[in-house]
Amino acid sequence: AGRSLRVEREFDFLCSIEGALVSGQVDLWIEDGDRGVLVDYKTDNVTAAQAPPRAEEYAVQLQLYALALRASGRKVDEAWLFFVRPAVRVAVDLSPNRLEEAIEAVGNLNRAQASRSFPLLTGEHCRRCTYYRGACPAQLPPAGQLSLFA
């Protein structure tokens, strides 16, 4: 970053994707010649081996950031997640298919908000939730099988 032509750190953005306002804060964007590089720092407590699968959980975030930066006229050819604790960087896929999937995710969120339908998606990510093994709605019996007043 120190030798790059343009460096921008911690700047906010707001853009429209699929009719939704998407905002975020870019940790680091570098333009060096004909390459634009987006970097997002993560402080998750992960090992070097755990960083790549965790990075996949953040991929949509960086893909949306890349789209927003491109819409503002900035180049973005590469995106990286840098996990601070193990000091590991992981590339984020910015292929057209993955960017289209990120746009579709925003559309899905818009539709879910409009219909007020948010089905639970349980998985490994649940282990980091504050409700894990507690009062998680995913662990309640299906509706009609539990009565609080019986």
Side-chain angles (χ1 to χ4, degrees), residues 16-20 22 59-61 63-64 67 95-113 121:
S16 176
I17 297 176
E18 286 292 299
V22 176
V60 170
Q61 175 193 355
Q63 291 155 351
L64 293 174
L67 290 167
S95 67
N97 285 344
R98 292 299 302 267
L99 294 177
E100 189 58 41
E101 289 172 9
I103 292 169
E104 186 177 313
V106 172
N108 290 342
L109 178 59
N110 265 349
R111 287 185 288 282
Q113 287 178 325
L121 299 174

Side-chain angles (χ1 to χ4, degrees), residues 58-98:
Y58 291 112
V60 170
Q61 175 193 355
L62 259 68
Q63 291 155 351
L64 293 174
Y65 282 22
L67 290 167
L69 289 171
R70 287 176 180 175
S72 72
R74 294 174 176 91
K75 291 181 174 211
V76 181
D77 302 295
E78 301 173 30
W80 296 89
L81 283 159
F82 185 81
F83 290 89
V84 175
R85 288 197 175 101
V88 171
R89 69 179 183 153
V90 180
V92 174
D93 186 351
L94 297 181
S95 67
N97 285 344
R98 292 299 302 267

Side-chain angles (χ1 to χ4, degrees), residues 120 122 126 129-141 146 148:
L120 292 170
T122 58
C126 292
C129 178
T130 57
Y131 291 112
Y132 183 64
R133 294 198 175 173
C136 176
Q139 296 180 13
L140 294 177
L146 176 68
L148 298 175

